[in-house]
Amino acid sequence: MTYYRVTEDRATEVTIGAQRERSFLRSDLLQVTMFNVGAGEAILIVFPGRRAWLVDVGCNSVPRNETLGLGLLDYLEQERLNLEAIVASHSHRDHAGAISTVLGFESDSTRGRIAVYRGSAAWGRPGVWLDAFRRVFRNGWADEEIVPANTHRVVAIPHGEIHLFVGRGASVYTSLFAHLRYRDARFLFTGDSMCPYEIDLLGEFGHDFRADVLKVTHHGSSSGTAQTVLRTIRPGVAIASSTEDADHRLERDVRRRLLARPARREVFETLVHGDITVKTDGRLSPSGILYSVEASTESGNDGEFAQNLRATTMTLAAANRSRSRNVSGADHPECR
């Protein structure tokens, strides 16, 4: 586990004393874990009182989504967490394909009413897994909360609130963004989208989108995470759900944008770090907000679900060699 003081565009590794560490770990902490699921995305948010939200739950095949969904149910029960909500950023299987499994089986962690927040675009397409998703709500196993296009909704959470945004558009990439505020700490979850959509959404609502921690858009695709967006969000930490294939890879030009000077960001990705867990008490000090970051690979572990999903990890040097060579961003000039 490593501690960072996070300010705008900067994360500074720090050593804290034993007393400060004890007080930090005994506080009401917010915990966010991005699981290494290979070609997909699954993020668990745990609030004080063992209250939990999921942000996107999916892999790139029906069998792996069933494996991931059942694994998450076991994990929630093991940790004695109560699932209260799921944010489905958009209707791609690798982001939402396991939701029907999570909600379709009886579990101590899913006995209460669970809200599933999603946008309105591109959820009516035919498909076996989408039929299973819709069946969850027809059977009354969860409450579907649709956020229409060009809408902002606010949901209360312990010590803060989650702001849900959907921009304009009808494509599958019209992602729902979730901006989490926990005391003074802020996270932004962006699903899959492209630079023009991101830029329009951040300019549309008159909202302060600054965030200490950014979930990198579209696994790190060159078509997302615009430089102008980074200037608005100003994250100190960026986390990507990545793997080696071309559709789920943190590309070289995006990594360069994230690390461009004068920023001093820390960039994490599941392909290199496995499961990534971020914790904070959300309390602001003159030197920033204290975060701990723990990677499962520090313990020689690819991740909680990695083995069953065949999700591997590699060294940063190997990952850098596998990235695309689109270093100029020439195919996506709007992202510069």
Side-chain angles (χ1 to χ4, degrees), residues 17-330:
Q19 183 175 351
R20 176 66 181 102
E21 184 170 40
R22 283 194 297 270
S23 68
F24 178 84
L25 296 175
R26 290 173 181 170
S27 299
D28 285 341
L29 295 177
L30 174 74
Q31 176 176 308
V32 177
T33 299
M34 177 180 282
F35 293 106
N36 178 21
V37 297
E41 195 154 297
I43 301 168
L44 174 66
I45 305 172
V46 180
F47 303 104
R50 300 188 181 278
R51 300 168 62 178
W53 284 43
L54 288 167
V55 179
D56 283 343
V57 195
C59 288
N60 64 341
S61 73
V62 171
R64 290 187 185 185
N65 274 319
E66 292 175 351
T67 299
L68 173 60
L70 293 173
L72 275 166
L73 283 174
D74 288 343
Y75 183 87
L76 292 168
E77 289 188 352
Q78 175 185 318
E79 298 297 319
R80 295 184 289 124
L81 300 174
N82 298 311
L83 184 63
E84 294 185 343
I86 299 175
V87 175
S89 68
H90 66 293
S91 61
H92 274 160
R93 181 172 59 195
D94 63 327
H95 285 252
I99 293 175
S100 58
T101 302
V102 170
L103 297 177
F105 288 85
E106 186 174 350
S107 165
D108 288 340
S109 294
T110 58
R111 290 188 185 278
R113 298 303 299 177
I114 297 170
V116 178
Y117 297 96
R118 69 167 178 85
S120 56
W123 285 90
R125 299 174 301 142
V128 172
W129 80 265
L130 276 168
D131 289 343
F133 178 89
R134 289 187 281 269
R135 189 161 56 245
V136 165
F137 308 105
R138 289 199 301 268
N139 291 343
W141 298 334
D143 297 322
E144 192 172 26
E145 300 284 348
I146 299 174
V147 184
N150 204 35
T151 298
H152 172 203
R153 182 177 298 185
V154 184
V155 182
I157 57 169
H159 304 297
E161 54 198 14
I162 293 180
H163 295 252
L164 302 173
F165 298 88
V166 178
R168 302 179 189 275
S171 82
V172 71
Y173 291 106
T174 306
S175 276
L176 185 156
F177 281 29
H179 192 211
L180 188 162
R181 296 181 174 184
Y182 181 81
R183 295 193 174 106
D184 289 308
R186 299 181 180 193
F187 292 69
L188 183 63
F189 305 93
T190 57
D192 285 0
S193 60
M194 297 184 182
C195 292
Y197 176 84
E198 294 177 325
I199 293 167
D200 288 347
L201 186 148
L202 267 62
E204 179 69 27
F205 293 97
H207 178 80
D208 182 357
F209 280 96
R210 283 178 299 173
D212 309 313
V213 181
L214 170 67
K215 197 290 296 184
V216 177
T217 304
H218 203 177
H219 314 278
S221 166
S222 295
S223 61
T225 316
Q227 190 64 56
T228 55
V229 168
L230 290 172
R231 293 192 195 105
T232 298
I233 300 169
R234 307 197 69 178
V237 174
I239 304 176
S241 182
S242 63
T243 190
E244 198 174 359
D245 75 66
D247 293 326
H248 299 84
R249 185 166 56 202
L250 176 55
E251 300 291 19
R252 190 176 303 179
D253 51 338
V254 176
R255 185 171 165 81
R256 286 194 175 196
R257 291 200 288 271
L258 288 166
L259 294 173
R261 295 182 179 181
R264 291 292 186 272
R265 299 188 180 104
E266 290 290 331
V267 178
F268 298 91
E269 56 176 312
T270 55
L271 177 62
V272 174
H273 300 95
D275 293 349
I276 303 158
T277 298
V278 179
K279 298 178 183 178
T280 184
D281 59 8
R283 300 191 183 280
L284 181 64
S285 73
S287 56
I289 297 175
L290 184 64
Y291 286 83
S292 68
V293 180
E294 185 172 9
S296 67
T297 50
E298 295 172 0
S299 304
N301 181 357
D302 286 344
E304 181 75 25
F305 311 117
Q307 182 175 357
N308 289 336
L309 298 175
R310 298 182 183 177
T312 59
T313 60
M314 60 176 61
T315 66
L316 178 59
N320 285 339
R321 289 193 295 271
S322 77
R323 304 187 203 282
S324 77
R325 299 185 181 277
N326 184 18
V327 295
S328 68

